[in-house]
Amino acid sequence: MKIGIVCYPTFGGSGVVATELGKALADRGHQVHFVTYNQPARLDLFSENLFYHEVTVSKYPLFDFPPYELALASRLVDVVRFEKLDVLHVHYAIPHASAAFMAKQILATYGISIPVVTTLHGTDITLVGNDRTYKPVVEFSINKSDGVTAVSEHLKKDTYRFFDIQKDIRVITNFIDLSRFSLKPKDHFKKAIAPEGEKILVHTSNFRRVKHAQDVIRIFAKVNAVIPSKLLMVGDGQDRPECEQLARDLGVSQNVRFLGKQDAVEEILSVSDLFLMPSQSESFGLAALEAMACKVPVVSTNTGGLPELNVEGVTGFLRDVGDVDGMAERAIYILEDEERLAQFKENALEHARTFELSNILPQYEAMYQEVIDNL
Ligand code: GMT
């Protein structure tokens, strides 16, 4: 198949899923065309089946808000026509689903029909999409998509709850490539971070408000008071300065390292003992799955789709949003006993295997085939 993928090219989860999916589809022999405003963070164009088409938005002095959605729709028309694509798969409803709808209408005037699959990732439904500013457009473009997928059962329910949706939404979860995300021998790195054999806790995110990254620092301060430990904070974003200040205020800054954005996250996860995800909202929690694949158990909140990934008492523990004491207590419980920690690590990997790429990829391929056949 010739597949067009539209996504945000940043380190965010939806961009990562879209990029990894495109790469895997290319490996399977499909031709994959990424259409976005920057080359996606994890996209290496070493495959003959991968293509990247940049969307450029002209900046006229007249425009306070350059119209990206129109530029994207025009680029999609161009790419579908000239690359003869079979299907468009847009990740994150805003503004990708409506741009694809517009492109589809324009393409019809050239006698070209193309089906559109929209994948809902989370905040496009729970936060941004649900805002009155966008709601009618999001609702309309989901209903006009030929296929709709959501990354968890919880997100599917939220979508039906927040919007008037007449379409069937199919759950296709996030996935993990275990050939990349697996425990790597990085003992020298572990020794450098934790020279006295301290336990290593880790958090990776984009530090947006919704991640509650300050709670990571608060949880760590409680763990650190009981267990010799270090904390690695991976990623960058809005809340990082507050986290740095909080670590100083709580007197733990000498045990916390802010590593910024990292490409080889799997290497950092490989030296880690526990992953913290105290998010306010999380449709799936891809970062936690990446940790589990590297044998790192997870202490998280019980929000959104997290209970579909993190299994209470098996791969880690889940507590209410904001329950810093509860999450710290469970983190200590896992870390204080070597045998128990080893068991949680095994369980984390075992459960991550159920989300292996090879189980999920055929579900997307089947979806593409269905929308093409039903057009
Ligand atoms: O969580 C983020 O800040 C990034 C966000 C995105 O849209 O890129 O991630 C969402 O999509 C991921 C991939 O499907 C999910 O694993 C994340 O749980 C989801 N984030 C939220 O729902 C907050």
Side-chain angles (χ1 to χ4, degrees), residues 8 10-18 91-92 119-124 126-127 151 155 173-174 205-208 210-211 277 279-288 305-306:
Y8 283 104
T10 50
F11 276 83
S14 63
V16 170
V17 169
H91 290 260
Y92 208 88
T119 289
L120 310 172
H121 279 274
T123 47
D124 46 352
T126 54
L127 294 178
V151 298
L155 183 60
T173 65
N174 285 178
S205 79
N206 49 23
F207 289 69
R208 286 194 296 141
V210 69
K211 301 292 171 186
M277 184 174 253
S279 305
Q280 176 207 322
S281 134
E282 204 67 67
S283 66
F284 181 87
L286 179 62
L306 280 173

